[in-house]
Amino acid sequence: MRANFHLKTLTVAVATLSVISVANAAGLDRSGQDITAFLQDGTYAEAVYTYIDADVTGKDTSGNKIDDIAESYDFFRYGVKTDVNDTFSVGILYDEPFGAAADYSGDNNFVGAPTDAVNNIIASRLGDRGVTDVQGLRDLVEGAQGQISASESRLNQAREQVRQAQAAVSQNPALEPVLRPQINAGLAGIAAGETQLAAGQAQLNQLEQLEDFADGRLANTEGTKVEVRSESITGILGAKFGSNKEFQVYGGPVAQRVKADVRLRGSAYGPATGYTAHISPDTDYGYIAGISYSKPEIALKAALTYRSEIKHDAKAFEVFPIATAAGATAGLALPTTRYADIEINTPESVNLDFQTGINPTTLATAKVRWVPWSDFAIVPSLYNDVSKVSTQDDKGLALVSYDDDQWQVELGLAKRLTPALAVSGNIGWDSGAGNPVTSLGPIEGYYSAGLGAKYNVTENWAISAGGKYLWFGDAEGQIPSKTIVSDFESNDGFVLGVKVSYQAQ
């Protein structure tokens, strides 16, 4: 016999729509770090699949069109919990809490050759000689090569004259008094010429190295790209208390793994164009803690959950073609590659989950989330060292940082239509993490609206599905120096979710 669809289980119909974050809507938030699986009654398990497709287009400061940079992505979330007895509960949750996926293409300042940046570097090195661009550098190299060739020719002629004079003296010693002054003068001239030639060759080598660097940068046809991935496993132990066991405290350890790849290309990044970083996977640990309250007779549940910051001490391999040139300008010895430690602290967060019955067939829900992205930064060491040269201070720049904290709010209603079927709808708002914001994720929050449904297939098994439409806030993209490099307007996206769940009480 099919079980009735009780009011207190209507929340399952809404949970499939609880993907209240989208990549870079605020910081790197993705999953919303939902824990509602642990708050279900009895033994409960779920598997959730989420697919997100965003359309993020704009223009660079030159007026060039920027095609969609937001790569579609998907992720899974799993959860299982059970009641050990009427006091203690245990659970394990898996999700992918933080991430980013942006890829620039087309004809704009985030793709290809950084002509302006290369010309600026040439001007800083050779401006006192009237050379301010690549063509001027090529002309200078060609002229220097001609001078070296002419000097070598003159030296060869001088060597031949000295050789002939020495041969004549060898054959006829009587010529010694006449030819010796000429031979000595010739040898002195050859020595001076060789010194001048060596100095000229050293200068030519430096010019040719700068030309090779410029040619390498100008031959670059790649686009800016970023990919950040994370995985998290949370173990939770809960203990109920109160006269009716209406309160519960819970907490446990969190294991989190992160990795990232960043590639900066195009003239928008100026001297930083060509920078590449690979942050190797790293696993570190934090914790979760919370308290909940329930009143089953009116389907009321409220939970306040805190997740700690997690400090990752990872390894980063950086490639920065301009590093040596920048270091030379400041009298520093900076390499073009570096493999070193990097500290990345994924932020703490607070989630509030609330639901209550309105009438015997209707449930109201609310979710609120806070994440202090203003405290977050990614600061690779080589990038930071080079930026100290351009900013002329001891602090330098972070590769990624945000100005504001993130707030998310979602309100929903669920309605039971039949004993086996319920539908839900919700609206949401995300504050974003500031505007202007990093060009690697140029969205200032969003508004959303969603619909979903849950169907009880059997007494214990159910399937839920839902979708959301998202209106992204307009944003200006900036590089770490706070220079505005792009403008993104009138963008949107959608989210689709499917959940399979099992519950036994």
Side-chain angles (χ1 to χ4, degrees):
M1 178 178 177
R2 192 185 301 272
N4 288 335
F5 199 95
H6 298 295
L7 177 63
K8 64 182 180 180
T9 64
L10 277 172
T11 185
V12 181
V14 183
T16 192
L17 290 175
S18 63
V19 187
I20 59 176
S21 302
V22 64
N24 294 324
L28 304 177
D29 217 6
R30 272 200 169 172
S31 73
Q33 296 180 298
D34 186 82
I35 67 139
T36 52
F38 181 76
L39 302 177
Q40 302 303 313
D41 298 323
T43 296
Y44 178 81
E46 68 176 23
V48 183
Y49 171 78
T50 302
Y51 174 82
I52 298 179
D53 192 351
D55 184 16
V56 181
T57 62
K59 292 183 178 181
D60 62 26
T61 50
S62 300
N64 301 311
K65 180 182 178 182
I66 299 174
D67 295 326
D68 184 15
I69 69 167
E71 295 185 305
S72 60
Y73 66 90
D74 57 3
F75 59 89
F76 287 89
R77 187 176 77 243
Y78 306 100
V80 60
K81 63 87 58 174
T82 190
D83 295 332
V84 178
N85 51 42
D86 63 353
T87 298
F88 294 102
S89 301
V90 294
I92 296 178
L93 307 177
Y94 167 88
D95 73 339
E96 300 177 25
F98 306 113
D103 191 0
Y104 284 82
S105 61
D107 183 12
N108 56 70
N109 293 344
F110 296 88
V111 179
T115 305
D116 292 342
V118 170
N119 287 341
N120 289 338
I121 294 167
I122 293 171
S124 69
R125 298 282 296 276
L126 302 172
D128 58 345
R129 301 172 66 174
V131 178
T132 58
D133 56 24
V134 175
Q135 187 56 52
L137 172 60
R138 289 182 177 140
D139 292 342
L140 186 63
V141 169
E142 184 177 353
Q145 290 172 336
Q147 292 175 0
I148 292 295
S149 178
S151 296
E152 288 177 337
S153 178
R154 289 192 296 270
L155 272 175
N156 288 335
Q157 291 176 359
R159 291 186 184 107
E160 178 60 22
Q161 291 173 354
V162 169
R163 187 193 66 78
Q164 291 177 359
Q166 289 174 330
V169 170
S170 178
Q171 293 176 358
N172 186 0
L175 295 175
E176 174 74 23
V178 177
L179 296 180
R180 179 52 55 188
Q182 178 182 341
I183 292 172
N184 290 339
L187 290 173
I190 290 171
E194 288 176 339
T195 300
Q196 292 176 352
L197 179 62
Q201 187 64 59
Q203 292 179 357
L204 176 60
N205 290 341
Q206 292 178 350
L207 293 174
E208 288 177 335
Q209 288 175 1
L210 184 58
E211 184 181 38
D212 289 343
F213 166 79
D215 289 342
R217 294 302 92 214
L218 296 177
N220 195 334
T221 59
E222 296 176 328
T224 296
K225 186 172 184 177
V226 59
E227 183 174 11
V228 180
R229 303 285 281 184
S230 68
E231 298 174 285
S232 181
I233 296 178
T234 303
I236 307 180
L237 171 65
K240 297 182 177 68
F241 62 96
S243 58
N244 295 312
K245 303 291 186 180
E246 66 271 28
F247 291 98
Q248 179 179 217
V249 292
Y250 52 88
V254 179
Q256 187 181 89
R257 183 176 184 266
V258 298
K259 63 178 181 178
D261 288 280
V262 177
R263 186 175 72 197
L264 305 183
R265 301 292 185 268
S267 58
Y269 293 100
T273 301
Y275 176 79
T276 301
H278 170 69
I279 299 176
S280 300
D282 177 77
T283 299
D284 275 290
Y285 305 91
Y287 65 89
I288 185 175
I291 185 170
S292 66
Y293 172 80
S294 65
K295 192 172 183 179
E297 55 267 30
I298 59 171
L300 188 150
K301 285 185 179 180
L304 187 66
T305 306
Y306 171 81
R307 284 182 178 269
S308 71
E309 174 185 81
I310 297 180
K311 178 180 177 180
H312 291 271
D313 294 312
K315 291 288 187 180
F317 179 71
E318 300 173 79
V319 179
F320 207 157
I322 194 57
T324 298
T329 302
L332 303 173
L334 294 177
T336 55
T337 63
R338 180 180 289 174
Y339 183 68
D341 295 333
I342 181 172
E343 181 180 306
I344 299 176
N345 297 336
T346 55
E348 62 184 346
S349 64
V350 177
N351 281 20
L352 173 65
D353 294 279
F354 177 83
Q355 70 170 59
T356 187
I358 297 177
N359 59 49
T361 62
T362 307
L363 188 74
T365 64
K367 291 175 176 288
V368 179
R369 176 169 167 81
W370 171 78
V371 186
W373 284 108
S374 59
D375 296 333
F376 175 84
I378 298 177
V379 190
S381 64
L382 180 56
Y383 182 91
N384 184 250
D385 284 347
V386 176
S387 72
K388 290 176 183 177
V389 176
S390 61
T391 59
Q392 296 183 345
D393 64 30
D394 294 333
K395 183 177 180 181
L397 301 173
L399 179 61
V400 177
S401 63
Y402 300 95
D403 294 330
D404 297 338
D405 295 345
Q406 168 196 11
W407 286 92
Q408 292 177 333
V409 179
E410 185 178 73
L411 304 175
L413 286 174
K415 176 72 174 179
R416 184 186 63 171
L417 300 181
T418 73
L421 177 65
V423 296
S424 63
N426 58 44
I427 57 174
W429 168 77
D430 182 305
S431 69
N435 185 33
V437 69
T438 171
S439 59
L440 302 179
I443 295 173
E444 189 192 16
Y446 62 82
Y447 290 94
S448 68
L451 294 172
K454 173 189 179 275
Y455 183 74
N456 273 14
V457 179
T458 70
E459 179 180 354
N460 302 118
W461 289 93
I463 186 168
S464 307
K468 274 186 181 179
Y469 187 79
L470 306 114
W471 295 267
F472 297 131
D474 298 342
E476 292 179 311
Q478 66 180 3
I479 58 177
S481 65
K482 304 300 182 181
T483 302
I484 305 300
V485 291
S486 57
D487 186 41
F488 291 80
E489 297 180 348
S490 303
N491 292 310
D492 56 12
F494 65 88
V495 183
L496 299 176
V498 178
K499 180 195 321 193
V500 176
S501 60
Y502 172 88
Q503 188 167 23
Q505 299 187 45

Coordinates of all heavy atoms in Angstrom, one line a residue, residues 216-275:
G216 N 57.6 35.5 -29.1 CA 56.9 34.5 -28.4 C 55.6 34.9 -27.9 O 54.6 34.2 -28.0
R217 N 55.6 36.1 -27.3 CA 54.3 36.7 -26.8 C 53.3 37.0 -27.9 O 52.1 36.7 -27.8 CB 54.5 38.0 -26.0 CG 55.3 37.8 -24.7 CD 54.7 36.8 -23.7 NE 55.2 35.5 -23.9 CZ 54.5 34.4 -23.7 NH1 53.2 34.5 -23.4 NH2 55.0 33.2 -23.9
L218 N 53.8 37.5 -29.0 CA 52.9 37.9 -30.1 C 52.4 36.7 -30.9 O 51.4 36.8 -31.6 CB 53.6 38.9 -31.1 CG 54.0 40.2 -30.4 CD1 54.8 41.1 -31.4 CD2 52.8 41.0 -30.0
A219 N 53.1 35.6 -30.8 CA 52.7 34.4 -31.5 C 51.6 33.6 -30.7 O 51.0 32.6 -31.2 CB 53.8 33.5 -31.7
N220 N 51.3 34.1 -29.5 CA 50.3 33.4 -28.6 C 48.9 33.6 -29.1 O 48.4 34.8 -29.3 CB 50.4 34.0 -27.2 CG 49.8 33.1 -26.2 OD1 48.8 32.3 -26.5 ND2 50.2 33.1 -24.9
T221 N 48.2 32.5 -29.4 CA 46.8 32.6 -29.8 C 45.8 32.1 -28.8 O 44.6 31.9 -29.1 CB 46.6 31.9 -31.2 OG1 47.0 30.5 -31.0 CG2 47.5 32.5 -32.3
E222 N 46.3 31.7 -27.6 CA 45.4 31.1 -26.6 C 44.5 32.2 -26.0 O 44.7 33.4 -26.1 CB 46.3 30.5 -25.5 CG 47.1 29.3 -26.0 CD 48.0 28.8 -24.9 OE1 48.4 29.6 -24.0 OE2 48.3 27.6 -24.9
G223 N 43.5 31.7 -25.3 CA 42.6 32.6 -24.6 C 42.7 32.4 -23.1 O 43.2 31.4 -22.6
T224 N 42.3 33.4 -22.3 CA 42.3 33.3 -20.9 C 41.3 32.2 -20.4 O 40.3 32.0 -21.0 CB 41.8 34.7 -20.3 OG1 42.8 35.7 -20.6 CG2 41.7 34.6 -18.8
K225 N 41.8 31.5 -19.4 CA 41.0 30.3 -18.9 C 41.2 30.1 -17.5 O 42.4 30.2 -17.0 CB 41.3 29.1 -19.7 CG 40.4 27.9 -19.4 CD 40.6 26.7 -20.4 CE 39.6 25.6 -20.1 NZ 39.8 24.5 -21.0
V226 N 40.2 29.7 -16.7 CA 40.3 29.4 -15.3 C 39.5 28.1 -15.0 O 38.4 28.0 -15.6 CB 40.0 30.5 -14.4 CG1 38.5 31.0 -14.6 CG2 40.2 30.2 -12.9
E227 N 40.0 27.2 -14.2 CA 39.2 26.1 -13.8 C 39.6 25.8 -12.3 O 40.8 25.6 -12.0 CB 39.4 24.9 -14.6 CG 38.5 23.7 -14.2 CD 38.6 22.5 -15.1 OE1 39.5 22.5 -16.0 OE2 37.8 21.6 -15.0
V228 N 38.6 25.8 -11.5 CA 38.8 25.5 -10.0 C 37.8 24.4 -9.7 O 36.7 24.5 -10.0 CB 38.6 26.7 -9.1 CG1 38.8 26.3 -7.7 CG2 39.5 27.9 -9.5
R229 N 38.3 23.3 -9.0 CA 37.5 22.2 -8.6 C 37.7 21.9 -7.2 O 38.8 22.1 -6.7 CB 37.8 21.0 -9.5 CG 37.7 21.1 -11.0 CD 36.2 21.2 -11.4 NE 35.7 19.8 -11.5 CZ 34.4 19.6 -12.0 NH1 33.7 20.6 -12.4 NH2 34.0 18.4 -12.0
S230 N 36.7 21.5 -6.5 CA 36.8 21.1 -5.1 C 35.9 19.9 -4.8 O 34.8 19.8 -5.5 CB 36.5 22.3 -4.2 OG 35.1 22.6 -4.2
E231 N 36.2 19.2 -3.8 CA 35.4 18.1 -3.3 C 35.4 18.1 -1.8 O 36.4 18.4 -1.2 CB 35.9 16.7 -3.8 CG 35.8 16.6 -5.3 CD 36.5 15.3 -5.8 OE1 37.7 15.2 -5.7 OE2 35.7 14.3 -6.1
S232 N 34.3 17.7 -1.2 CA 34.2 17.8 0.3 C 33.4 16.6 0.8 O 32.4 16.2 0.3 CB 33.5 19.1 0.7 OG 33.5 19.2 2.1
I233 N 34.0 16.0 1.9 CA 33.3 14.9 2.6 C 33.1 15.3 4.0 O 34.1 15.7 4.7 CB 34.0 13.6 2.5 CG1 34.1 13.1 1.0 CG2 33.3 12.5 3.4 CD1 34.9 11.8 0.9
T234 N 31.9 15.3 4.5 CA 31.5 15.8 5.8 C 30.9 14.6 6.7 O 30.0 14.0 6.2 CB 30.5 16.9 5.8 OG1 31.0 18.0 5.0 CG2 30.2 17.5 7.2
G235 N 31.5 14.4 7.8 CA 31.0 13.4 8.7 C 30.2 14.1 9.9 O 30.8 15.1 10.4
I236 N 29.0 13.7 10.2 CA 28.2 14.4 11.2 C 27.7 13.5 12.2 O 27.2 12.4 11.9 CB 27.0 15.1 10.5 CG1 27.5 16.0 9.3 CG2 26.3 16.0 11.5 CD1 26.3 16.7 8.6
L237 N 27.8 13.9 13.5 CA 27.2 13.2 14.6 C 26.2 14.2 15.3 O 26.6 15.3 15.6 CB 28.2 12.7 15.6 CG 27.7 12.2 17.0 CD1 26.9 10.9 16.7 CD2 28.8 12.0 17.9
G238 N 25.0 13.8 15.4 CA 24.0 14.7 16.1 C 23.4 14.1 17.3 O 23.4 12.8 17.5
A239 N 23.1 14.9 18.3 CA 22.5 14.5 19.5 C 21.3 15.3 19.8 O 21.3 16.6 19.9 CB 23.5 14.6 20.7
K240 N 20.1 14.6 20.0 CA 18.9 15.3 20.3 C 18.7 15.5 21.8 O 19.1 14.6 22.6 CB 17.7 14.5 19.7 CG 17.7 14.4 18.2 CD 16.5 13.6 17.7 CE 16.4 13.5 16.2 NZ 17.5 12.7 15.6
F241 N 18.0 16.6 22.2 CA 17.7 16.8 23.6 C 16.4 17.6 23.7 O 15.9 18.1 22.7 CB 18.9 17.5 24.3 CG 19.2 18.8 23.8 CD1 18.7 20.0 24.4 CD2 20.1 19.0 22.7 CE1 19.0 21.2 23.9 CE2 20.4 20.3 22.2 CZ 19.9 21.4 22.8
G242 N 16.0 17.8 24.9 CA 14.7 18.5 25.1 C 13.6 17.5 25.5 O 13.8 16.3 25.4
S243 N 12.5 18.0 26.0 CA 11.5 17.1 26.5 C 10.9 16.2 25.5 O 10.5 15.1 25.7 CB 10.3 18.0 27.1 OG 9.8 18.9 26.2
N244 N 10.8 16.7 24.2 CA 10.3 15.9 23.1 C 11.4 15.7 22.0 O 11.1 15.4 20.9 CB 9.1 16.6 22.4 CG 7.9 16.7 23.4 OD1 7.6 15.7 24.0 ND2 7.4 17.9 23.5
K245 N 12.6 15.8 22.4 CA 13.8 15.7 21.5 C 13.7 16.7 20.4 O 14.1 16.4 19.2 CB 13.9 14.2 21.0 CG 14.0 13.1 22.0 CD 15.3 13.2 22.7 CE 15.5 12.0 23.7 NZ 16.8 12.0 24.4
E246 N 13.2 17.8 20.7 CA 12.9 18.8 19.6 C 14.2 19.6 19.2 O 14.3 20.2 18.1 CB 11.9 19.8 20.0 CG 12.2 20.7 21.2 CD 11.8 20.1 22.6 OE1 11.8 18.9 22.7 OE2 11.6 20.9 23.5
F247 N 15.2 19.5 20.1 CA 16.5 20.2 19.8 C 17.5 19.2 19.4 O 17.5 18.0 19.8 CB 17.0 21.0 21.0 CG 16.2 22.2 21.3 CD1 15.2 22.1 22.3 CD2 16.3 23.4 20.6 CE1 14.4 23.2 22.6 CE2 15.5 24.5 20.9 CZ 14.6 24.4 21.9
Q248 N 18.5 19.6 18.5 CA 19.6 18.7 18.1 C 20.8 19.6 17.9 O 20.8 20.6 17.3 CB 19.3 18.0 16.8 CG 20.4 17.1 16.4 CD 20.1 16.3 15.1 OE1 20.5 15.1 15.0 NE2 19.3 16.9 14.2
V249 N 21.9 19.1 18.5 CA 23.2 19.7 18.2 C 24.0 18.7 17.3 O 23.8 17.5 17.5 CB 24.0 20.1 19.4 CG1 23.3 21.2 20.2 CG2 24.2 18.9 20.4
Y250 N 24.7 19.2 16.4 CA 25.5 18.3 15.5 C 26.8 18.9 15.1 O 27.0 20.2 15.2 CB 24.6 18.0 14.3 CG 24.1 19.2 13.5 CD1 24.8 19.8 12.5 CD2 22.8 19.7 13.9 CE1 24.3 20.9 11.8 CE2 22.3 20.8 13.2 CZ 23.0 21.4 12.2 OH 22.5 22.5 11.5
G251 N 27.7 18.1 14.7 CA 29.0 18.6 14.2 C 29.8 17.4 13.8 O 29.5 16.2 13.9
G252 N 31.0 17.7 13.2 CA 31.9 16.7 12.8 C 33.0 17.2 11.9 O 33.1 18.4 11.6
P253 N 33.9 16.4 11.4 CA 35.0 16.8 10.6 C 34.6 16.9 9.1 O 33.7 16.3 8.7 CB 36.0 15.6 10.8 CG 35.1 14.4 11.0 CD 33.9 14.9 11.8
V254 N 35.4 17.7 8.5 CA 35.2 17.9 7.0 C 36.6 17.8 6.3 O 37.6 18.4 6.7 CB 34.7 19.4 6.7 CG1 34.5 19.6 5.2 CG2 33.4 19.6 7.4
A255 N 36.6 16.9 5.3 CA 37.8 16.7 4.5 C 37.5 17.4 3.2 O 36.5 17.1 2.5 CB 38.1 15.2 4.3
Q256 N 38.4 18.2 2.7 CA 38.2 19.0 1.5 C 39.4 18.9 0.6 O 40.6 19.1 1.0 CB 37.9 20.4 1.8 CG 37.4 21.3 0.7 CD 37.2 22.7 1.1 OE1 38.1 23.6 1.2 NE2 35.9 23.0 1.5
R257 N 39.2 18.8 -0.7 CA 40.2 18.7 -1.7 C 40.0 19.8 -2.7 O 38.9 19.9 -3.2 CB 40.2 17.3 -2.4 CG 41.4 17.1 -3.4 CD 41.2 15.6 -3.9 NE 42.3 15.2 -4.8 CZ 42.2 15.3 -6.1 NH1 41.1 15.7 -6.7 NH2 43.2 14.9 -6.9
V258 N 41.1 20.5 -3.1 CA 41.0 21.6 -4.1 C 42.1 21.5 -5.1 O 43.2 21.0 -4.7 CB 41.0 23.0 -3.4 CG1 39.8 23.2 -2.5 CG2 42.3 23.3 -2.7
K259 N 41.9 22.0 -6.3 CA 42.9 22.1 -7.3 C 42.5 23.2 -8.2 O 41.3 23.6 -8.3 CB 43.1 20.8 -8.1 CG 41.9 20.3 -8.9 CD 42.2 19.0 -9.6 CE 41.0 18.6 -10.4 NZ 41.4 17.3 -11.2
A260 N 43.4 23.8 -9.0 CA 43.1 24.9 -9.9 C 44.1 25.1 -11.0 O 45.3 24.7 -10.8 CB 43.0 26.2 -9.1
D261 N 43.6 25.6 -12.1 CA 44.5 26.0 -13.2 C 44.0 27.4 -13.7 O 42.8 27.6 -13.9 CB 44.4 25.0 -14.4 CG 45.1 23.7 -14.0 OD1 46.3 23.6 -14.2 OD2 44.4 22.7 -13.6
V262 N 45.0 28.3 -13.9 CA 44.7 29.6 -14.4 C 45.6 29.9 -15.5 O 46.8 29.7 -15.5 CB 44.9 30.6 -13.2 CG1 44.6 32.0 -13.8 CG2 43.9 30.3 -12.1
R263 N 45.1 30.6 -16.6 CA 45.8 31.0 -17.7 C 45.4 32.4 -18.1 O 44.2 32.6 -18.5 CB 45.6 30.0 -18.9 CG 46.5 30.2 -20.1 CD 46.2 29.1 -21.1 NE 44.9 29.3 -21.7 CZ 44.3 28.3 -22.4 NH1 44.9 27.1 -22.5 NH2 43.1 28.5 -23.0
L264 N 46.3 33.4 -18.0 CA 46.0 34.8 -18.4 C 46.6 35.1 -19.7 O 47.8 34.9 -19.9 CB 46.5 35.7 -17.3 CG 46.1 35.5 -15.9 CD1 46.7 36.6 -15.0 CD2 44.6 35.5 -15.7
R265 N 45.7 35.5 -20.7 CA 46.1 35.8 -22.0 C 45.5 37.1 -22.5 O 44.5 37.5 -22.0 CB 45.8 34.6 -23.0 CG 46.4 33.3 -22.6 CD 47.9 33.3 -22.7 NE 48.5 32.0 -22.5 CZ 48.9 31.5 -21.3 NH1 48.9 32.3 -20.3 NH2 49.4 30.3 -21.2
G266 N 46.0 37.7 -23.6 CA 45.5 38.8 -24.2 C 46.0 40.1 -23.6 O 46.6 40.1 -22.5
S267 N 45.8 41.2 -24.3 CA 46.4 42.5 -23.8 C 45.7 43.1 -22.6 O 46.2 44.0 -22.0 CB 46.3 43.5 -25.0 OG 44.9 43.7 -25.4
A268 N 44.5 42.6 -22.2 CA 43.8 43.1 -21.0 C 44.6 43.0 -19.8 O 44.5 43.8 -18.9 CB 42.5 42.3 -20.8
Y269 N 45.5 42.0 -19.7 CA 46.3 41.7 -18.5 C 47.7 42.4 -18.5 O 48.4 42.2 -17.6 CB 46.5 40.2 -18.3 CG 45.2 39.5 -18.0 CD1 44.4 38.8 -18.9 CD2 44.6 39.6 -16.7 CE1 43.2 38.2 -18.6 CE2 43.4 39.0 -16.4 CZ 42.7 38.3 -17.4 OH 41.5 37.8 -17.1
G270 N 47.9 43.2 -19.6 CA 49.2 43.9 -19.6 C 50.4 43.0 -19.5 O 50.5 41.9 -20.1
P271 N 51.3 43.4 -18.6 CA 52.5 42.6 -18.4 C 52.3 41.2 -17.9 O 53.1 40.4 -18.0 CB 53.4 43.4 -17.4 CG 52.9 44.8 -17.6 CD 51.4 44.7 -17.9
A272 N 51.1 41.0 -17.3 CA 50.8 39.7 -16.7 C 50.4 38.7 -17.8 O 50.2 37.5 -17.5 CB 49.7 39.8 -15.7
T273 N 50.2 39.2 -19.0 CA 49.8 38.3 -20.1 C 50.8 37.2 -20.3 O 52.0 37.4 -20.3 CB 49.7 39.1 -21.4 OG1 48.7 40.1 -21.3 CG2 49.3 38.2 -22.6
G274 N 50.3 36.0 -20.5 CA 51.2 34.8 -20.6 C 51.4 34.0 -19.3 O 52.0 33.0 -19.3
Y275 N 50.9 34.6 -18.2 CA 51.0 33.9 -16.9 C 50.2 32.7 -16.9 O 49.0 32.7 -17.3 CB 50.6 34.9 -15.8 CG 50.6 34.2 -14.4 CD1 51.8 34.1 -13.7 CD2 49.4 33.8 -13.8 CE1 51.8 33.5 -12.5 CE2 49.4 33.2 -12.6 CZ 50.6 33.0 -11.9 OH 50.6 32.4 -10.7

